[in-house]
């Protein structure tokens, strides 16, 4: 008999095929009567596969007496209560590094799309306005900009590296200074004031909640661009809408939102924003690598009681 694995959120066919060799998959969304399922399978469940969006709800974690390991398909794990994991002896894993390049590409795509008005000009070409109204208005160059990066970890460093062909001046803000060849700015508002664009790439969770607030947005200013590829919670979305509406912030490129999958109507109605449905890592290649790592963590724990990529709190 294969061990039961509770699966929260979607998995790719490739992940399901690999997992089915070792586990009997129980998909949370297919369980109609969770109490009956708990009685039948709960005590046998030692492992969960989830993602950064769903995490593990507290009632589920508490109801599984033998839960020992949670594998998160994603690098961000702010919806997994790591304090509760530590208290219960549960090891949590995530998928760092394998998505650095893709999320960095997404950040640069949003910078390019906002600076060069990609959506406006694409619509200009497609709608025939070129013929009826003439050339599209000029845009801004992404070259030689001062780019402030909030968060200089694995992905932040990859964003800085990938920006090199545009000859930027890179500033960064984190809680502790890093060994990187960029200028550290101890105060986030100062950094925003000095930056043409601010790229947000910290984890989510209480420590970073609304780090980018009205003051920071105001400091970025009417010619400034905000790009968020981290978590919606890091930016005060209400303040962002107000700043974009008032023109005290120029542009925003957003892959993440506070109440996903909901995006405020006000943002959807603005022409100075580019919106993506949280697709920072969402390519076949990168999701395959993330899926492989999430599955390898599960299988190795099942076989040997060890994991490859524990979250720092569980190391
Ligand atoms: O503050 P530090 O020295 O721990 O630096 C980390 C920074 N960070 C913060 N910066 C300012 N204020 C905070 N409260 C704060 N908390 C963390 O974010 C570090 O430089 C960076 C996180 O880097 P990594 O742990 O290497 O994460 P990675 O792989 O770059 O991914 C970042 C996030 C994920 O958690 C997902 O939410 C998203 O990107 O995909």
């Amino acid at each position: 008999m294969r061990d039961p694995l509770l699966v929260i959120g979607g998995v790719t066919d490739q992940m399901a095929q690999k997992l089915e060799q070792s586990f009997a998959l129980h998909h949370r969304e297919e369980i109609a009567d969770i109490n009956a399922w708990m009685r039948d399978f709960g005590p046998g469940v030692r492992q969960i596969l989830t993602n950064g969006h769903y995490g593990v709800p507290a009632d589920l974690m508490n109801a599984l007496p033998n839960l020992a390991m949670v594998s998160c398909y994603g690098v961000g794990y702010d919806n997994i209560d790591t304090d509760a994991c530590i208290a219960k002896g549960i090891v949590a894993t995530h998928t760092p590094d394998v998505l650095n390049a893709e999320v960095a590409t997404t950040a640069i795509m949003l910078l390019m799309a906002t600076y060069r008005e990609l959506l406006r000009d694409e619509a200009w070409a497609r709608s025939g306005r070129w013929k009826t109204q003439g050339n599209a208005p000029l845009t801004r160059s992404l070259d030689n900009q001062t780019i402030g990066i909030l968060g200089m970890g694995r992905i932040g460093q990859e964003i800085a590296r990938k920006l090199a062909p545009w000859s930027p001046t890179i500033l960064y803000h984190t809680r502790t200074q890093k060994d990187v060849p960029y200028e550290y700015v101890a105060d986030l508002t100062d950094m925003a004031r000095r930056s043409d664009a601010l790229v947000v790439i910290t984890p989510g969770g209480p420590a970073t909640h609304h780090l980018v607030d009205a003051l920071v947005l105001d400091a970025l200013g009417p010619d400034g661009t905000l790009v968020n590829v981290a978590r919606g919670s890091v930016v005060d979305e209400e303040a962002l809408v107000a700043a974009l509406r008032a023109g005290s912030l120029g542009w925003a490129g957003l892959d993440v939102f506070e109440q996903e999958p909901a995006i405020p109507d006000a943002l959807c109605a603005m022409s100075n924003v580019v919106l993506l449905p949280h697709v920072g890592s969402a390519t076949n290649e990168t999701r395959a690598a993330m899926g492989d790592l999430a599955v390898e963590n599960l299988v190795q724990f099942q076989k040997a009681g060890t994991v490859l990529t524990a979250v720092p709190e569980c190391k």
Side-chain angles (χ1 to χ4, degrees):
M1 263 246 304
R2 290 170 301 163
D3 293 334
L5 175 72
L6 180 59
V7 178
I8 304 174
V11 292
T12 61
D13 291 345
Q14 186 182 320
M15 288 167 79
Q17 273 167 20
K18 288 184 179 169
L19 286 168
E20 275 160 3
Q21 293 168 19
S22 306
F23 298 98
L25 305 192
H26 295 246
H27 293 275
R28 175 63 190 91
E29 73 265 21
E30 289 169 9
I31 301 171
D33 183 345
I34 190 71
N35 294 323
W37 181 86
M38 277 292 173
R39 277 193 302 276
D40 293 343
F41 298 101
V45 172
R46 298 189 69 243
Q47 294 177 259
I48 288 180
L49 172 63
T50 186
N51 60 37
H53 180 70
Y54 292 109
V56 182
D59 54 348
L60 260 185
M61 197 183 277
N62 290 331
L64 294 166
N66 297 309
L67 184 63
M69 191 258 177
V70 173
S71 172
C72 180
Y73 170 47
V75 66
Y77 52 92
D78 40 298
N79 284 325
I80 297 175
D81 182 345
T82 50
D83 288 342
C85 286
I86 292 163
K88 292 171 187 293
I90 297 166
V91 60
T93 64
H94 63 154
T95 61
D97 287 315
V98 292
L99 44 53
N100 295 352
E102 208 67 67
V103 179
T105 298
T106 304
I108 291 168
M109 179 167 71
L110 285 170
L111 280 168
M112 293 177 83
T114 47
Y115 266 77
R116 295 296 305 269
E117 302 283 3
L118 175 72
L119 302 184
R120 184 202 70 190
D121 281 1
E122 205 273 349
W124 200 276
R126 193 182 287 261
S127 66
R129 250 184 294 168
W130 191 13
K131 261 193 276 176
T132 56
Q133 294 181 33
N135 291 336
L138 301 183
T139 62
R140 303 173 298 153
S141 176
L142 183 58
D143 288 84
N144 305 307
Q145 297 297 287
T146 298
I147 313 277
I149 303 184
L150 170 55
M152 189 45 84
R154 291 169 292 245
I155 303 173
Q157 290 178 44
E158 187 63 24
I159 293 171
R161 270 194 295 272
K162 279 206 176 188
L163 275 170
W166 285 274
S167 309
T169 299
I170 303 269
L171 313 175
Y172 76 98
H173 171 77
T174 49
R175 290 165 301 180
T176 53
Q177 197 165 345
K178 312 292 171 200
D179 183 19
V180 292
Y182 314 113
E183 184 185 340
Y184 178 65
V185 185
D187 183 89
L188 174 57
T189 310
D190 272 355
M191 183 170 85
R193 192 169 294 115
R194 291 176 55 195
S195 299
D196 297 307
L198 176 66
V199 178
V200 184
I201 187 62
T202 62
T208 56
H209 186 256
H210 287 188
L211 263 187
V212 178
D213 59 10
L215 274 181
V216 173
L217 296 170
D218 200 51
L220 195 52
D223 296 325
T225 302
L226 175 80
V227 163
N228 188 3
V229 285
R231 285 288 183 263
S233 61
V234 187
V235 175
D236 181 342
E237 211 165 66
E238 224 179 285
L240 175 65
V241 168
L244 286 164
R245 201 176 254 154
S248 55
L249 175 70
W251 293 262
L254 306 170
D255 185 39
V256 289
F257 304 89
E258 286 207 70
Q259 306 292 337
E260 293 176 10
I263 301 178
D265 291 342
L267 284 176
C268 294
M270 287 176 183
S271 57
N272 52 344
V273 300
V274 175
L275 307 171
L276 295 176
H278 201 152
V279 291
S281 65
T283 61
N284 290 321
E285 295 84 351
T286 296
R287 285 293 168 86
M290 291 163 62
D292 283 349
L293 187 49
V295 170
E296 281 161 22
N297 274 309
L298 288 161
V299 172
Q300 182 167 314
F301 187 84
Q302 183 192 40
K303 287 194 176 133
T306 57
V307 298
L308 294 164
T309 48
V311 304
E313 293 87 338
C314 293
K315 272 185 183 149

